[in-house]
Amino acid sequence: MKKLVLMAFIGIGFIACKQNGEKVPASNDPHLFGFNYDSTAHMDVIKGTFKDLENYDTTTYITRYADTAKFHDNNKLTNLDENVGLQRQFIAAGIKVKVKEDYAMWSSHFNFKDGNQGDYVYTYVTVTFTKGDKSVDVVMFQADLFNKDGKIVEEWLVYDQSTIGTLLN
């Protein structure tokens, strides 16, 4: 009798835990409006921009952005031409850039209440700037908004820029 009861519990537990192939309905919770991903094509675009910076490839870098892209560089609003101009200043000054590969990156898709959608990539990254025998590590937070064509339309960068200035002197 004990064996029969034990088998019944095991059988009920197996049936209760078995997936029946039904899809879980979308949540009606008004506070849930987005999804996070650990691998997307948008993340590959950001990784590509890192390689472009390291290789001084401003031509390919520009193709990853919409023509009207906006940059919020420590809350200073700039456009794509100004952003690339800053990179060219680093190149002219002999400053090399290396992105450490232990960064944290994720992607999000949002369905906002006003009907708009947004695809973002967020990255915490350490970048090493080197000139001659001097190097500085700068920890940055970067957020990028993409359009439907997979181009970056807006980028936010937050970092301590004071140490980079020491390489320009």
Side-chain angles (χ1 to χ4, degrees):
M1 184 65 160
K2 289 181 183 179
K3 288 183 182 180
L4 183 60
V5 172
L6 179 61
M7 289 178 69
F9 278 125
I10 292 172
I12 291 170
F14 178 75
I15 291 169
C17 294
K18 183 179 163 189
Q19 293 182 350
N20 59 7
E22 292 179 24
K23 292 184 178 179
V24 177
S27 173
N28 291 330
D29 186 338
H31 302 291
L32 300 178
F33 60 93
F35 303 94
N36 288 328
Y37 303 97
D38 61 3
S39 179
T40 64
H42 295 138
M43 293 169 67
D44 292 340
V45 170
I46 298 302
K47 292 173 187 176
T49 65
F50 294 163
K51 291 298 176 197
D52 297 340
L53 290 169
E54 290 177 341
N55 296 327
Y56 298 138
D57 186 356
T58 57
T59 304
T60 305
Y61 179 85
I62 290 169
T63 66
R64 301 181 195 279
Y65 290 85
D67 293 339
T68 58
K70 294 188 284 186
F71 295 81
H72 305 268
D73 191 341
N74 277 336
N75 217 21
K76 178 184 176 195
L77 184 61
T78 61
N79 61 33
L80 183 57
D81 289 337
E82 292 167 319
N83 178 273
V84 172
L86 181 62
Q87 290 179 44
R88 289 184 176 139
Q89 287 177 1
F90 283 173
I91 294 167
I95 296 174
K96 295 182 180 180
V97 176
K98 178 68 178 155
V99 177
K100 293 191 177 183
E101 296 199 15
D102 62 347
Y103 49 79
M105 179 184 287
W106 70 99
S107 183
S108 299
H109 174 79
F110 295 107
N111 295 307
F112 297 108
K113 293 179 184 180
D114 64 2
N116 287 322
Q117 294 186 352
D119 290 299
Y120 293 83
V121 173
Y122 305 99
T123 311
Y124 284 97
V125 62
T126 302
V127 180
T128 302
F129 295 88
T130 304
K131 182 176 181 181
D133 60 349
K134 290 175 61 177
S135 293
V136 294
D137 285 343
V138 178
V139 177
M140 305 175 103
F141 173 74
Q142 176 175 328
D144 294 272
L145 172 62
F146 286 80
N147 65 15
K148 300 230 183 270
D149 298 325
K151 302 275 187 176
I152 303 166
V153 294
E154 199 158 4
E155 183 170 277
W156 293 264
L157 298 161
V158 180
Y159 58 97
D160 179 2
Q161 59 193 11
S162 64
T163 57
I164 299 171
T166 62
L167 296 178
L168 294 172
N169 298 332

